[in-house]
Amino acid sequence: MWQAVLAAGLGLSSLAGAGDYPAVDLQRAEEINMGRCFLCHGVDGESSSALYPRLAGQYYQYIAKQLADFKSGRRRSETMASMAAELAEDEMLALGVYFEQKPARAQ
């Protein structure tokens, strides 16, 4: 399922306007963020260290794909593999939408 959503999203991302997101559980995404993600990536997806990438403002399809790749082992990181191991496909997509909706601060 997530592969079809990601493929469709990636193909249409340049045509989609602000607010054109799939229906996801943003409350669940916030729960996951506050339980795991914020430790390295910050509460709003703005990392305080160059070691950890900024998630705020990233395309939701990109975030969901990276999480799926960490989970499957296609992208290697012991830390991220353990963070993504328990995530369901809909949670990965929800996290992507959650972070895309966070405004990125100017650098």
Side-chain angles (χ1 to χ4, degrees), residues 33-70:
N33 177 45
M34 295 309 293
R36 304 175 208 186
C37 311
F38 86 98
L39 294 168
C40 298
H41 298 284
V43 173
D44 292 319
E46 290 285 349
S47 172
S48 60
S49 169
L51 293 173
Y52 309 110
R54 168 191 289 191
L55 300 179
Q58 286 282 3
Y59 293 114
Y60 74 87
Q61 302 96 328
Y62 176 79
I63 292 174
K65 181 182 183 315
Q66 297 315 305
L67 289 169
D69 286 351
F70 283 125

Side-chain angles (χ1 to χ4, degrees), residues 56-95:
Q58 286 282 3
Y59 293 114
Y60 74 87
Q61 302 96 328
Y62 176 79
I63 292 174
K65 181 182 183 315
Q66 297 315 305
L67 289 169
D69 286 351
F70 283 125
K71 183 174 181 173
S72 73
R74 279 184 292 247
R75 184 167 179 189
R76 298 189 192 280
S77 166
E78 287 182 29
T79 301
M80 285 305 302
S82 67
M83 294 292 151
E86 300 295 320
L87 293 176
E89 295 166 7
D90 61 326
E91 292 173 324
M92 294 178 201
L93 191 60
L95 283 165

